[in-house]
Amino acid sequence: MIHPFLFLQWLEKQLNLHLGEHVLYTWFVMLLLIGVALLVKSSIQTVPGGLQNFFEPIIAGIEGMIDETMGHHGKAYFPLIATLAIFILTSNLVALIPGFYPPTANLNTNAAMALTVFVMTHIIGFKEHGFAYLKQFCGPVPWLAPLIFPIELVGHLARPLSLTLRLFGNMYGHEIVLMIFFTLVPFLVPLPMMVMGVMVAFIQAFVFMLLSMIYIAGAIEEAH
């Protein structure tokens, strides 16, 4: 998609770099989140205030969802789930700042996160159950295994594709619609679309996080 002006893309040209806009804005979001995390860490208090007061309900909410969806075993995977959720949400919200591009509107960024979830799901499965994890792909009775195994295999391979395209389609589509409105009617009319963009940002981050939790929870469960 062609943007009228991207701040970091302009900076890239000034420095004669060739990284790509999605890489630049991914690093921007990463550095922003690392900076905020260090700032919050340096000012943690028993009675929260400021940024700590803002982030504690978010962290508590994610912990609660992990506990409800994955059980007490899921707490070990809180860093992965929370990092994905906060990164995706911040990347989505960046789209609402003029001159900034959401990394999640690029297939490469989303595919990297989806493949991370995919690989970690099966690493966790083998970690929890050993080779008995393969029973989850074979169905409830042995004689059904030749039929169930390819179906399960295709279903698991489709997961990263689904995660990637769902997030990409929503964020890229919102970017296009917002750009069209800004081009045709640059004042007032795009505001409702920006409000909707905030909702889309939260919903897509929530959906990616929820599906990731469901996939990992499935790997943790015993095969039946």
Side-chain angles (χ1 to χ4, degrees):
M1 184 173 60
I2 298 175
H3 291 257
F5 175 77
L6 288 175
F7 174 73
L8 292 185
Q9 192 176 55
W10 170 83
L11 186 61
E12 178 189 27
K13 290 179 180 178
Q14 303 305 309
L15 299 175
N16 197 26
L17 300 174
H18 304 283
L19 299 175
E21 58 190 20
H22 66 287
V23 175
L24 286 170
Y25 283 93
T26 296
W27 277 95
F28 168 77
V29 172
M30 289 168 56
L31 291 173
L32 176 64
L33 292 177
I34 290 170
V36 171
L38 292 174
L39 188 62
V40 173
K41 182 182 177 183
S42 66
S43 60
I44 290 180
Q45 300 174 352
T46 306
V47 180
L51 283 175
Q52 183 184 348
N53 202 32
F54 174 78
F55 279 103
E56 278 196 359
I58 297 175
I59 300 302
I62 296 175
E63 279 186 327
M65 285 191 60
I66 290 176
D67 191 52
E68 290 178 8
T69 307
M70 304 173 68
H72 66 278
H73 293 291
K75 291 183 178 180
Y77 310 107
F78 171 82
L80 172 64
I81 301 298
T83 299
L84 286 170
I86 295 172
F87 174 80
I88 292 171
L89 178 59
T90 307
S91 297
N92 293 349
L93 292 175
V94 159
L96 303 177
I97 304 173
F100 284 75
Y101 175 84
T104 45
N106 186 282
L107 278 172
N108 296 291
T109 306
N110 300 339
M113 293 187 292
L115 288 172
T116 299
V117 172
F118 175 76
V119 172
M120 285 302 300
T121 297
H122 298 297
I123 289 175
I124 291 166
F126 281 107
K127 175 189 171 186
E128 294 286 337
H129 309 295
F131 284 99
Y133 173 61
L134 294 175
K135 291 180 181 178
Q136 295 195 11
F137 295 82
C138 298
V141 290
W143 61 270
L144 277 176
L147 175 64
I148 299 297
F149 186 82
I151 295 174
E152 287 287 337
L153 188 62
V154 171
H156 279 262
L157 291 174
R159 288 177 177 181
L161 184 64
S162 172
L163 286 174
T164 300
L165 294 180
R166 181 184 291 105
L167 183 57
F168 167 75
N170 281 278
M171 295 312 302
Y172 187 76
H174 175 259
E175 278 285 284
I176 291 177
V177 171
L178 196 57
M179 287 299 299
I180 291 173
F181 273 106
F182 267 118
T183 303
L184 297 177
V185 190
F187 299 104
L188 296 180
V189 174
L191 288 177
M193 294 302 301
M194 294 182 71
V195 173
M196 188 181 74
V198 174
M199 295 175 59
V200 170
F202 276 90
I203 290 171
Q204 292 308 311
F206 173 79
V207 169
F208 197 104
M209 177 181 68
L210 181 61
L211 289 176
S212 299
M213 288 191 294
I214 290 172
Y215 295 156
I216 294 174
I220 295 174
E221 291 177 354
E222 293 283 351
H224 297 288

